[in-house]
């Protein structure tokens, strides 16, 4: 099969990934073998390729927003899935189930957790495997390409929104407006929030307004109102300060990314006093995934996708790095 591996982590324009031909993987005990129908291109893939995240598996195949068709079951894979089922493969791939974090329902904090496209090969390939316990049924009413970004961008945006503790009908600020943000904004809007978007990209500003945002302005510009909560999706530490300054008393800033550049020095009175809070987001739980995918089944989300053939995965990541599209890129293995 055809696949992409991270051969030499480094700047994306330095071609850290190579396209290879390898054997189709065999599903292990408790695993499914999935034919990849679509795989979203996530900024975390970029962090893996560029070495912002330390190497966990040399030569890993990136990709953790995978929509596929089950083609085979390994021993002990259970009865939830059958050949022909359409399933999703997300970032979280394994947790121990025994540590104090898993036992209290915080499996995303499990010290033994493993991740698709970082610890194990992912979806920048024609086939992938996934433990059946970490595969997800996907909602009807979406194309394969539309579903793919839901499996990380959507799920992690949902968790970031939950971490932001936005009050019902509250005012939410969103910093950065890519694949995850444009989905989280729709969840917030469906819940009655007033959404204000800060992004440097005019194309993304237009998309935000089309989706129902009350305002859209530059990345570090102050929103027109004080915010009850904010989510930082852009991996830019410099934006933490204007986001905190925009919060009303008691407001919460949720930082959604797995990687963030350094944050400049905070001024306590301006940025944190009056019980403002900063909360990080560390992956997601399977419960987050189930809740978000159920929401997506009940509320038709507008998923802005830009298809790329699998053989152009390196170009898709480069375009992501250089901000050449709004929404989410998706790899299609059978595209010309």
């Amino acid at each position: 099969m055809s696949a992409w591996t991270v051969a030499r982590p480094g700047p994306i324009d330095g071609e850290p990934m190579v396209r290879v031909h390898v054997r189709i993987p065999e599903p292990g005990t408790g695993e499914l073998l999935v034919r990849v129908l679509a795989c979203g291109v996530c900024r975390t893939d970029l962090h893996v390729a560029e070495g912002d995240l330390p190497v966990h598996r040399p030569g890993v195949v990136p990709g953790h927003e995978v929509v596929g068709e089950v083609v085979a079951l390994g021993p002990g894979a259970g009865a939830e899935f059958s050949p022909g089922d359409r399933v999703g493969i997300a970032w979280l791939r394994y947790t121990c189930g025994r540590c104090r974090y898993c036992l209290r329902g915080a499996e995303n904090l499990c010290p033994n957790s493993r991740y698709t496209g970082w610890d194990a090969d992912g979806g920048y390939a024609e086939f992938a495997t996934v433990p059946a316990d970490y595969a997800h049924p996907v909602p009807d009413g979406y194309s394969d390409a539309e579903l793919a970004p839901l499996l990380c961008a959507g799920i992690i945006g949902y968790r970031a929104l939950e971490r932001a503790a936005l009050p019902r009908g509250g005012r939410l600020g969103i910093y950065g407006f890519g694949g995850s943000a444009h989905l989280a904004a729709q969840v917030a809007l469906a819940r009655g929030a007033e959404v204000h978007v800060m992004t440097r990209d005019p194309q993304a500003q237009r998309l935000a307004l089309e989706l129902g945002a009350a305002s859209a302005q530059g990345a570090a510009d102050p929103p027109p109102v004080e915010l009850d909560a904010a989510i930082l999706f852009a991996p830019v530490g410099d934006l933490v300060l204007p986001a905190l300054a925009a919060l009303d008393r008691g407001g919460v800033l949720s930082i959604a990314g797995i990687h963030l550049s350094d944050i400049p020095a905070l001024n306590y009175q301006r940025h944190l006093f009056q019980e403002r809070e900063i909360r990080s987001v560390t992956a997601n739980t399977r419960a987050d995934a189930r809740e978000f995918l159920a929401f997506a089944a009940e509320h038709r989300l507008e998923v802005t996708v830009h298809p790329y053939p699998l053989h152009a995965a390196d170009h898709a990541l480069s375009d992501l790095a250089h901000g050449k599209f709004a929404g989410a890129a998706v790899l299609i293995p059978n595209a010309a």
Side-chain angles (χ1 to χ4, degrees):
M1 71 171 185
S2 180
W4 286 87
T5 68
V6 180
R8 299 170 302 277
I12 195 65
D13 293 332
E15 300 182 355
M17 299 202 313
V18 296
R19 191 179 177 199
V20 297
H21 290 274
V22 295
R23 295 181 63 179
I24 295 172
E26 294 283 339
T29 300
E31 292 186 340
L32 310 174
L33 175 64
V34 173
R35 184 191 310 276
V36 177
L37 303 175
C39 181
V41 177
C42 178
R43 190 165 292 275
T44 301
D45 303 335
L46 185 62
H47 294 317
V48 170
E50 295 198 315
D52 296 325
L53 298 179
V55 175
H56 278 193
R57 178 185 173 95
V60 73
V61 176
H64 56 274
E65 297 179 332
V66 184
V67 177
E69 177 188 359
V70 177
V71 295
L73 282 67
E80 183 177 1
F81 299 104
S82 302
D85 288 348
R86 191 167 65 155
V87 300
I89 303 175
W91 176 239
L92 186 67
R93 185 181 182 90
Y94 169 84
T95 56
C96 72
R98 300 182 299 275
C99 69
R100 61 194 179 102
Y101 304 103
C102 287
L103 293 176
R104 75 182 195 209
E107 66 179 1
N108 60 316
L109 301 180
C110 175
N112 303 303
S113 56
R114 295 200 290 270
Y115 300 94
T116 308
W118 192 19
D119 296 290
D121 289 339
Y124 284 29
E126 293 177 297
F127 292 87
T129 62
V130 60
D133 289 344
Y134 291 80
H136 299 285
V138 293
D140 295 328
Y142 296 86
S143 68
D144 299 329
E146 290 172 325
L147 281 171
L150 301 186
L151 290 161
C152 179
I155 294 169
I156 209 65
Y158 177 82
R159 182 168 184 86
L161 181 59
E162 295 293 286
R163 292 280 289 161
L166 180 69
R168 183 169 296 276
R171 297 161 299 187
L172 175 69
I174 292 180
Y175 290 79
F177 205 71
S180 190
H182 92 288
L183 297 171
Q186 292 179 66
V187 177
L189 288 164
R191 292 175 170 179
E194 178 183 312
V195 175
H196 298 271
V197 171
M198 277 59 71
T199 176
R200 66 183 181 181
D201 183 0
Q203 185 180 359
Q205 291 175 7
R206 290 192 295 272
L207 176 60
L209 295 172
E210 290 170 3
L211 291 174
S215 75
Q217 42 272 313
D221 291 343
V225 297
E226 291 184 311
L227 304 172
D228 297 305
I231 306 173
L232 175 58
F233 286 101
V236 182
D238 287 346
L239 293 178
V240 170
L241 302 191
L244 286 171
L247 291 176
D248 200 354
R249 299 179 180 211
V252 175
L253 171 62
S254 173
I255 300 177
I258 192 172
H259 173 79
L260 186 72
S261 62
D262 290 342
I263 302 171
L266 292 167
N267 178 287
Y268 178 70
Q269 294 294 331
R270 183 181 179 195
H271 299 120
L272 285 178
F273 192 53
Q274 302 294 355
E275 300 193 354
R276 298 179 181 92
E277 296 181 46
I278 302 175
R279 297 179 180 177
S280 66
V281 176
T282 302
N284 62 272
T285 66
R286 283 173 286 177
D288 293 326
R290 289 191 294 269
E291 290 173 15
F292 171 71
L293 293 172
F295 183 94
E298 296 174 7
H299 301 81
R300 183 59 167 84
L301 301 174
E302 295 298 324
V303 189
T304 302
V305 298
H306 302 271
Y308 289 77
L310 178 62
H311 64 73
D314 54 344
H315 296 297
L317 274 177
S318 178
D319 287 351
L320 172 64
H322 296 294
K324 293 190 176 179
F325 54 78
V330 178
L331 303 178
I332 308 296
N334 61 1

